[in-house]
Amino acid sequence: MSRILITGGNTGLGFEAAKRLLAIGHTLYITSRDPERGRLAAAELGCDFLVMDVTNDASVRQALTHYRSLADSLDVLINNAGIPGDRRPIETVDAALLETVFATNVFGAVRVTQAFLPLLQRSDNPVIVNVSSGVGSFTKQTDQETLESKVISPAYASSKAALSMLTLQYAKALPNMRINAADPGPTNTGGNFNRGAQSVTEGTEAVVRLATLDQNGPTGTFQDKNGLLGW
């Protein structure tokens, strides 16, 4: 079975994905910015946790050091940590809002991926899952029949589009790995992500499927619970 690290695993989709992956026998490590919330979530799940703020280089380095004290390789990295950013009228959107959202959703994923890449390269079957969104899909945003096409959220949508492109770039550069993007779909996970009708179990279908790919699985794809999506 695999060693799996999930960023932002103390709540929402990350917590549910950890629970499901633990149930089928994998070894899980979750991260949380808040040490107490991370400790409580890990105790409930029955797994290890790392204190990590994905927006902070020193915090990611410290988490890596902690992880190295627990294991000498990593099989699966799930870049799940993400924020929606403030919902504002387009007239009030500014660069500072995009900087805040990109700091977690894009730069955070890159920071964690780069830090843990040497450990992933020690795995016989290295996998990366980037939790993106259909809101960042050009295909869905331009199809008037989709729910995503009704969403106007420049910071969040553009950050997830960027994360999806990064998924493709990493997949092409690292063909020995399975690197894919997952769209959870409109899921109500509480907090600022509260507009979806799906359960968290439904929202983790693609994440769990992509996290458990074998060496013959696809790479450089964008998938939801039903299968392949258009970028």
Side-chain angles (χ1 to χ4, degrees):
M1 304 306 277
S2 299
R3 293 189 179 100
I4 303 175
L5 176 66
I6 304 180
T7 64
N10 63 296
T11 188
L13 292 169
F15 184 89
E16 179 67 14
K19 182 169 69 174
R20 293 183 62 185
L21 290 163
L22 279 164
I24 55 178
H26 297 288
T27 300
L28 265 291
Y29 307 84
I30 63 170
T31 80
S32 171
R33 289 180 299 175
D34 184 296
E36 183 61 14
R37 290 181 179 178
R39 184 187 67 78
L40 290 172
E44 183 176 346
L45 289 167
C47 68
D48 287 302
F49 87 99
L50 314 173
V51 178
M52 182 196 288
D53 178 352
V54 301
T55 69
N56 183 281
D57 285 324
S59 178
V60 173
R61 286 196 299 269
Q62 289 169 359
L64 176 61
T65 299
H66 183 184
Y67 182 87
R68 285 182 182 274
S69 73
L70 302 171
D72 59 4
S73 66
L74 178 65
D75 300 303
V76 181
L77 170 62
I78 301 176
N79 285 310
N80 167 73
I83 61 172
D86 297 336
R87 292 192 177 97
R88 302 181 189 175
I90 194 70
E91 294 83 0
T92 66
V93 170
D94 55 20
L97 172 60
L98 269 73
E99 287 171 350
T100 298
V101 175
F102 271 62
T104 296
N105 297 1
V106 182
F107 308 144
V110 171
R111 185 176 286 111
V112 176
T113 299
Q114 292 301 118
F116 283 84
L117 198 55
L119 293 176
L120 284 162
Q121 289 172 328
R122 293 182 183 178
S123 171
D124 292 332
N125 182 35
V127 170
I128 299 175
V129 181
N130 291 325
V131 181
S132 188
S133 171
V135 173
S137 163
F138 288 90
T139 300
K140 286 197 169 189
Q141 282 280 358
T142 55
D143 179 353
Q144 297 305 308
E145 298 301 315
T146 69
L147 176 65
E148 289 81 0
S149 70
K150 311 301 187 293
V151 176
I152 300 175
S153 182
Y156 182 72
S158 61
S159 75
K160 291 303 186 178
L163 183 60
S164 292
M165 177 54 76
L166 282 166
T167 302
L168 278 176
Q169 294 295 301
Y170 274 94
K172 290 194 294 182
L174 300 167
N176 63 310
M177 297 189 181
R178 306 299 89 193
I179 304 174
N180 296 283
D183 171 24
T187 306
N188 186 351
T189 59
N192 291 321
F193 292 99
N194 59 7
R195 295 189 175 184
Q198 290 186 150
S199 68
V200 287
T201 300
E202 291 174 295
T204 54
E205 285 294 326
V207 175
V208 171
R209 183 173 70 245
L210 292 171
T212 53
L213 291 175
D214 63 23
Q215 292 167 321
N216 297 314
T219 190
T221 69
F222 187 22
Q223 300 191 28
D224 68 3
K225 66 180 182 180
N226 297 313
L228 291 173
L229 288 177
W231 298 99

